[in-house]
């Protein structure tokens, strides 16, 4: 299913550019794989360029800009939209000095949401949303509660993995090896962060930590070539 058929999930629905019928069409196309290029063509004028009326809606531009990073091949309209929105957002920045959305625009232009770690981007967005005068307090409180609960789960999980690592006594047995278990765990949260995937996070963290350990044996130990050959044979067998 193409990006264009999933685009309705973005925050364009708050603007006047797409009406309720258009949004319903986008939702419906998610399940029927219909083309919705004609819907997004409403954002263009008769010359095929994006309408100048879009320029004044910074939040709408930001939402469309973030959406363009979900594009796949042959979605030229999103490629053009990326160029258009990035240019207009850069132009708008000097006039946003007293606007809470300014920091969000700066961050998006530097690193779009879809190119960051989900949990880090979630925490950052909570701060952005909190400064928005139109925020929903109940929704904001639930977002904070969800983040904090999952953070506690990650802390407990990190402690358990650290105890496993210490039980191996890597620093005592292999002092040349890097102690990267917490770093690796954080890395793995980029793959699995949801609570239902705790087992997958643990398995990946332990596996990558051991791979890192093997790498250090090759690169940082005082082993001779002959010893490393024997070690390699043992790994391969």
């Amino acid at each position: 299913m193409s990006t264009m058929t999933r685009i309705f999930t973005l925050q364009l629905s708050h603007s006047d550019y797409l009406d309720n019928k258009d949004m319903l069409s986008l939702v419906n196309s998610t399940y029927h794989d219909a083309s919705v290029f004609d819907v997004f063509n409403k954002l263009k004028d008769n010359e095929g360029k994006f309408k100048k009326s879009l320029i004044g809606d910074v939040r709408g531009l930001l939402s469309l800009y973030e959406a363009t990073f979900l594009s796949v091949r042959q979605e030229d309209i999103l490629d053009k939209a990326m160029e258009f929105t990035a240019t207009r957002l850069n132009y708008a920045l000097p006039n946003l000095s007293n606007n809470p959305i300014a920091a969000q625009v700066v961050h998006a232009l530097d690193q779009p949401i879809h190119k960051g770690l989900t949990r880090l981007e979630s925490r950052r967005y909570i701060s952005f949303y909190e400064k928005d005068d139109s925020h929903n307090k109940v929704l904001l409180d639930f977002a904070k509660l969800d983040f904090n609960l999952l953070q506690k789960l990650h802390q407990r999980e990190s402690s358990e993995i650290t105890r496993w690592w210490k039980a191996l006594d890597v620093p005592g047995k292999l002092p040349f090896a890097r102690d990267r278990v917490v770093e690796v765990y954080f890395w793995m949260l980029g793959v699995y962060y949801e609570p239902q995937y705790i087992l997958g996070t643990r398995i990946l963290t332990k596996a990558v930590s051991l791979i890192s350990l093997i790498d250090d044996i090759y690169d940082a130990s005082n082993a001779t070539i002959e010893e490393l050959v024997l070690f390699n044979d043992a790994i391969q067998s």
Side-chain angles (χ1 to χ4, degrees), residues 65-77:
Y65 172 75
E66 292 283 9
T68 62
F69 288 90
L70 291 171
S71 65
V72 297
R73 290 182 180 180
Q74 297 181 353
E75 291 184 339
D76 296 337
I77 189 171

Side-chain angles (χ1 to χ4, degrees), residues 50-63:
F50 286 97
K51 295 178 179 178
K52 293 183 179 180
S53 57
L54 294 170
I55 298 173
D57 184 1
V58 176
R59 192 172 297 279
L61 285 173
L62 181 59
S63 295

Side-chain angles (χ1 to χ4, degrees), residues 27 44 56 74 93 134 162 178 184 188 193 199 223 226 228:
V27 173
K44 294 184 175 184
Q74 297 181 353
L93 267 179
S134 63
T162 300
R178 293 167 292 176
V184 172
M188 292 307 103
Y193 69 89
L199 180 60
E226 291 75 15
L228 290 178

Side-chain angles (χ1 to χ4, degrees), residues 8 13 29 38 57 109 130 143 220:
F8 74 93
S13 58
S29 67
D38 54 333
D57 184 1
L109 291 173
E130 189 171 24

